[in-house]
Structure formats: structure tokens, C-alpha cells
Amino acid sequence: MRIEGDLRVLENFFRKKHLRSAGDDTHNAYRTWLQGNAGGMAAIHSAAYAQAFDKQGLVEGTSGMFAISANMAVLSFMLAGQMDKLAEIFIQKAASKEFISWHRFLTGAGPLVDMNFLSPIFREHLNQDAARRSRLEFWGGLTCATTGRGITVDMMRLLPDMVHGIHAGMTIPSRFGPVQVGHNWCVDGAGVFTFPARYIIETFGPTDLLIWANRRDVEWWRFLDDAIVSLPMRRSYSAALCNAFANRHKQARTELAYLRSQTQCRYLVVWSEQDTGTFECDRPTLRGILAEESRQFAALLAKAKTAVDADLRIPVAAE
């Protein structure tokens, strides 16, 4: 795990939690937002951070969340307080030939990533009522398959349910998609929202933005494109969508440069220490990442909590 930015971001999640729990309306001064980037199976990094984040009760210190791709699932389960269940699904079900199959993809028998397999599992286990009882905003980013433009969905109100948004958000463009959401046919939001910092800052006006990147840096995303996504996409989708996906790495670099130069909000990016593959299915590898990165992020959160407790003169709980 590698961090970039201002550690006060984490402290302000704790401050907001404390003030909100005390019924102090000054918590509204802290507009704390969480950005969950794409990554496929690399979202195991976000799952690790979410485990530590949830154990500290920091959903109560969050104003809003914006997620794309697999992070739509991670953050939905975090809202429901079900991170252990999400981790189990990721490692036992997503890391399987039923979900990810190169043979199926290369022979034309079906998609590389089969959301028709994984979505019913999400729907069976995700406590959507619990997730939607949260007081925060939760938005998901999708890509319109027709226009190549970004579409945002309110995950707290999406019909027929949250899992429908997750299904669309994790659908890699191929001849086996897209998914209808409202009046639009949609695929993975990574086409437009690869690194949606500008959108979040300009739309929601956070004072503090925490970003779970799932990658070591924005350059790593580049080499996956043509071999895995672009060729089948060009056969089945509009030029606008193809262009959106072809330009998404350039867009990510532009977004990161914007984040680093803007002065509207504090930010903290949590980069992974290693480059986990989008289609990684080795279960011991995934378990190792989950345990180690959760431990590291928990330690970082503990330091932030200690600083805030001292500042607010909160008594230290007895061991």
C-alpha cells in the first residue's frame, strides 16, 4: 500500500463520525467523500481497505461515495456491514472459471467475465435494505453503450435494485452485453469514469476525498486494452463507446493531474503496492492481498483516530 496526499483526510472522516454521533450539526462542515475506482479482481485491494474502514465505523463519518465497476459491489456490501461476505464471494466465487473463463471467451462461447453468474450471488447475499438505510449518498458511474458518455445512477434509489447497477457497472463491453438501466444501455463505467476525481469534486463539492485506486499508478492500466476489450468491442459497439475506452488511460492521467493541482479539497489516494491483474484468479494471492492490505490500512486508520481522539480529548477506551 502506498499513499499520496493529505493524511488529514482520514482524520476528518473520524471527526465527522464523532460530531455526527454526538448530534452536532457542525459535522456538515466536513464533506467527506470516498472514490472507488475500477479494477476487476484488483478490487480485492479496495475490499481490504473497506474491511478496515468498516471496522472503525467510518461509514458514519462519510458524506458520500462514488464507485465504478467492481467497487460498486465492494461499497454496497460495506454499506450493509457485510465485508466478510463480500470477501468470501470475491475469493470463492469470482475467482472461478464460472465467472472468469478465457476458454469461454476465446472460443466465442460466452463472455470473459460472466455477470449472469455473479449477480445472482450478489443478490442472494447483499442485504440491500441495510445498505439503503445509510444516511450517505452513493452514486455509481456507468458508460452509455450508444453515446460513449458517462451516466451516473443513484444506487440508493436505483430500480429494480442495487445489484442491477452492479451488474451493469461490471459488464465488460463485448457482444454479450450491454445492460439496460433506465432508458440507457450501459456497460462498465471505466470507459468514462476511470479516475473520476474532477467529476466528484465539481459535482459534490467535498472538503475531503479518499480514493481507493486498486492500482500502483495510472500508467499500469494501459496494456490491457486492445487484446482483451477493444477487438470484440469494435465488432459490436458504437465508435463513440470504442473511443471512450480507447482514451480512458489518457483521461485517467489528465484526471490525476487535475487532482494534484486543484485546491478545492484535500485528497488522499491509496495506491496498491503491487499490480494485481484485472482477471486474477489465484485464491492464495487474493487472500494474501486482503489480509496484508487490510492490516496496513487499519494501522493507518488507527493513527488517524489517535490524532483525532487527542484533539477532541476523547478518553482512550480500556483494553
Side-chain angles (χ1 to χ4, degrees), residues 1 43-52 55 83-84 87-88 91 274 276 282-299:
M1 186 185 77
I44 193 70
H45 294 277
S46 285
Y49 312 144
Q51 279 191 337
K55 286 178 181 177
M83 282 312 304
D84 289 343
E88 177 187 336
I91 293 171
Q274 63 193 82
T276 303
D282 184 73
R283 288 171 179 166
T285 296
L286 296 171
R287 287 194 188 96
I289 291 169
L290 184 71
E292 178 59 20
E293 300 236 332
S294 182
R295 182 192 66 79
Q296 291 183 25
F297 195 59

Side-chain angles (χ1 to χ4, degrees), residues 261-308:
S261 65
Q262 59 80 37
T263 57
Q264 290 117 293
C265 81
R266 291 171 289 269
Y267 73 89
L268 185 70
V269 185
V270 184
W271 301 100
S272 63
E273 195 64 40
Q274 63 193 82
D275 289 330
T276 303
T278 300
F279 310 110
E280 178 63 68
C281 284
D282 184 73
R283 288 171 179 166
T285 296
L286 296 171
R287 287 194 188 96
I289 291 169
L290 184 71
E292 178 59 20
E293 300 236 332
S294 182
R295 182 192 66 79
Q296 291 183 25
F297 195 59
L300 198 63
L301 291 175
K303 290 181 181 179
K305 183 178 185 300
T306 298
V308 172

Side-chain angles (χ1 to χ4, degrees), residues 163-186:
V163 175
H164 189 69
I166 295 169
H167 186 128
M170 292 181 66
T171 295
I172 294 175
S174 73
R175 63 181 181 275
F176 301 97
V179 176
Q180 187 172 10
V181 180
H183 299 294
N184 299 290
W185 290 92
C186 300

Side-chain angles (χ1 to χ4, degrees), residues 15 22 35 40 45 51 81 104 145 189 222 224 252 255 279 297 304 310:
R15 285 191 175 89
Q35 171 183 322
H45 294 277
Q51 279 191 337
R104 182 175 60 216
R222 183 182 303 170
L224 290 172
E255 291 281 326
F279 310 110
F297 195 59

